[in-house]
């Protein structure tokens, strides 16, 4: 049986309204999260869900989707009448009129209270239309006895300018406190553990700076390709899909200063300060700091996979990057001069998200044995997925008469250490939004800062002369990514 970590917190009665009810994210993540929360008795009896989309699903079709998402059908079955569906176009005011009527009826008959959580899990082009029509229909109002909140999926804008204008459009109907911008990486236990590791231990913080750290490496490697989302990926690419959000979030948690309190505001303030210090290179210099790649056919887990350009929905001459590696820097007292290497790619040899803090080598090795000279540096490896673990790599004497030293690992595994089951990121974030806890959501200025870092790189990549290196699926990306590190005598930590 799963044991939930913060099972003491209870949310009040509410209705969750999902825009994108017939979509991929809803069936793969949102409905399974709702079903699991119901199964774990984390939601009150006075809870309802309304799905909204154009497909003619009807209540029955939507309820079937819910049943398919549940691992425990019985717990869903007793609740299934509380799932409703509205068929309608998001650009039509009539859809919102139907929503007002259905909400009134549910809230009256089931006494759920007027608390409403809207979830925008739909195409980003419609985010501002939906928020504006919610506002016009009186559905964005917050009153003191209930709440009205809105979760918004990524991408939040396509650059800093569009993110600013989306913010101001949303702010016409919703206040900043009502908006919950989701980045599911922040819902992962190990990402949250970055803060626990750094700020609950006295041993790491004194060496967490330019005096001891030689370089930092963040890798988000995926072995999957673009699947059926080729059309979407063509307009995104690795930079917008992963770097702007997940990677810069992890980077800011790893490198930021200690927050005064574990509150949303305190943590978000520190993240914004850190992102503001990320060095933004002049556009002509980006070619020396960034490598972009695209996968061609290769072999993954003994299976042949096609090239990116052969995927459904992808142009045969596509220039979209499926891999990015970059050297970044942070201009502050703690990190000045320390290279921060990041890389992400699809169809890589392995699925792995990890952060590596590589420390300076010992200033002098008094051992005469040859192996000591080849000893690698101390590294602290924070693995985020698929396994959640922390490894410390250090030198140890090999048993025997000679003083041979070898790198060894000390391991901490989440799964082996804790009996408690980790929350799925969407379960955690959905419940946080119902509880009104914004700590793991993004504030508007954070999103803008992240775009300000990514925008010049997007600009450089848009130049047809910017090299696009091909790499075989099932490898660690183009060799130019190793050269990027090699230029300063560094190398990627193996994944
Ligand atoms: N899928 C993922 O793995 C994933 C991961 C992270 C973030 N996201 C984000 O989540 C959001 C949704 O992605 P998705 O992959 O689930 O998209 P999707 O499968 O294309 O679903 C889009 C949904 O929006 C509805 N819709 C679109 N236009 C509409 C309109 N004019 N009126 C009414 N309904 C409309 C569709 O309904 P009908 O088809 O019934 O019209 C469908 O339910 C996006 O912001 C995406 O970036 C997705």
């Amino acid at each position: 049986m799963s044991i939930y970590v913060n099972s003491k917190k209870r949310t009040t009665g509410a209705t969750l309204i999902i825009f994108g009810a017939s979509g991929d994210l809803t069936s793969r993540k949102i409905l399974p999260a709702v079903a699991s929360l119901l199964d774990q008795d984390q939601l009150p009896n006075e809870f309802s869900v309304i799905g909204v989309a154009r497909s003619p699903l009807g209540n029955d079709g939507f309820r079937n989707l819910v049943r398919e998402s549940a691992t425990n059908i019985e717990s869903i079955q007793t609740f299934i009448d509380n799932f409703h569906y509205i068929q309608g176009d998001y650009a039509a005011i009539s859809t919102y009129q139907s929503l007002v009527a259905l909400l009134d009826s549910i809230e009256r008959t089931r006494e759920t209270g007027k608390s409403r959580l809207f979830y925008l899990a739909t195409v980003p082009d419609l985010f501002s239309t939906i928020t504006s029509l919610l506002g016009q229909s009186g559905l964005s109002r917050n009153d003191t006895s209930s709440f009205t909140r809105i979760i918004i999926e990524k991408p939040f804008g396509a650059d800093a300018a569009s993110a600013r204008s989306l913010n101001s459009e949303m702010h016409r109907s919703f206040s900043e406190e009502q908006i919950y911008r989701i980045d599911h990486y922040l819902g992962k236990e190990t990402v949250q553990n970055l803060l626990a590791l750094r700020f609950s231990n006295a041993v790491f913080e004194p060496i967490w700076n330019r005096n001891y750290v030689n370089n930092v490496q963040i890798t988000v490697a995926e072995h999957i390709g673009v699947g059926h989302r080729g059309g979407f990926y063509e307009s995104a690419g690795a930079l917008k899909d992963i770097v702007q959000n997940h990677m810069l979030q992890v980077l800011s948690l790893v490198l930021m200063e200690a927050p005064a309190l574990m509150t949303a505001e305190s943590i978000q303030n520190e993240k914004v300060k850190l992102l503001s210090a990320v060095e933004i290179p002049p556009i002509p210099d980006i070619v020396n700091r960034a490598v972009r790649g695209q996968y061609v056919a290769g072999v993954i887990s003994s299976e042949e996979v096609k090239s990116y350009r052969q995927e459904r929905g992808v142009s045969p001459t596509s220039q979209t990057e499926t891999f990015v590696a970059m050297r970044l820097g942070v201009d502050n007292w703690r990190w000045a001069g320390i290279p921060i290497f990041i890389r992400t790619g699809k169809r890589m040899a392995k699925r792995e998200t990890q952060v590596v803090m590589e420390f300076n080598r010992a200033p002098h090795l008094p051992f005469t044995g040859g192996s000591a000279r080849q000893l690698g540096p101390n590294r602290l490896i924070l693995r985020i997925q698929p396994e959640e673990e922390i490894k410390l790599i250090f030198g140890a004497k090999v048993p025997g008469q000679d003083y041979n030293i070898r790198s060894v690992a000390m391991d901490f595994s989440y799964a082996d250490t804790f009996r408690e089951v980790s929350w799925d990121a969407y379960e955690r974030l959905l419940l946080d939004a119902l509880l009104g806890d914004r700590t793991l959501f993004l504030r508007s200025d954070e999103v803008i800062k992240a775009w300000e870092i990514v925008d010049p790189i997007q600009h450089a990549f848009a130049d047809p002369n910017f090299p696009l290196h091909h790499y075989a699926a099932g490898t660690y990306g183009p060799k130019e990514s190793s050269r990027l590190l090699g230029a300063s005598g560094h190398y990627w930590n193996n994944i």
Side-chain angles (χ1 to χ4, degrees), residues 222-230 233 241 295 300 305-306 308 311 322 345-348 471 473:
E222 297 180 285
H223 64 265
I224 52 165
V226 290
H228 60 279
R229 303 181 78 219
Y233 199 83
D241 193 39
Y295 64 82
I300 296 189
V305 298
K306 54 188 168 192
Y308 175 68
E311 303 272 15
T322 61
K346 286 209 174 283
R347 285 285 190 229
M348 289 181 66
Y471 61 99

Side-chain angles (χ1 to χ4, degrees), residues 11-12 28 32 82 85 161 188 206 256 260 265 271 282 295 306 314 320 333 338 353 390 426 460 467:
T11 170
T12 55
R28 280 196 314 107
N82 301 315
Y85 185 75
K188 292 179 187 290
M256 72 184 204
E265 202 194 356
K271 284 199 282 174
Y295 64 82
K306 54 188 168 192
V314 173
T320 302
W333 272 58
I338 302 301
T353 297
I390 298 176
Y426 277 86

Side-chain angles (χ1 to χ4, degrees), residues 10 15 21 34 59 175 204 213 217 231 249 268-269 284 297 305-306 321 347 370 374 377 383 385-386 432 441 477 489:
R10 298 293 298 188
T15 304
V34 173
N59 284 344
S175 67
F204 299 116
V213 173
Q217 301 181 12
Q249 282 298 317
Q268 285 158 350
N269 284 347
V305 298
K306 54 188 168 192
E321 78 287 350
R347 285 285 190 229
Q374 288 148 23
R383 295 186 74 206
Q385 64 185 19
D432 278 0
F441 293 86

Side-chain angles (χ1 to χ4, degrees), residues 240-305:
K240 286 202 249 183
D241 193 39
I242 304 284
V243 175
Q244 190 273 343
N245 36 68
H246 308 324
M247 291 197 100
L248 289 180
Q249 282 298 317
V250 171
L251 179 142
S252 54
L253 291 173
V254 170
L255 304 179
M256 72 184 204
E257 298 301 314
L261 297 166
M262 283 298 283
T263 59
E265 202 194 356
S266 245
I267 294 174
Q268 285 158 350
N269 284 347
E270 295 308 332
K271 284 199 282 174
V272 169
K273 262 163 55 188
L274 189 283
L275 290 173
S276 309
V278 171
E279 187 191 353
I280 301 178
I283 290 171
D285 194 28
I286 289 175
V287 72
N288 304 316
R289 309 264 200 120
V291 169
R292 66 171 181 165
Q294 190 187 69
Y295 64 82
V296 294
V299 176
I300 296 189
S301 310
S302 322
E303 263 185 47
E304 285 185 17
V305 298

Side-chain angles (χ1 to χ4, degrees), residues 10-11 13-14 38 41 43-48 79 82 110 112:
R10 298 293 298 188
T11 170
L38 282 168
D41 197 24
L43 297 172
N45 287 334
E46 303 78 24
F47 184 75
S48 298
F79 206 81
N82 301 315
R110 298 204 52 242
T112 56

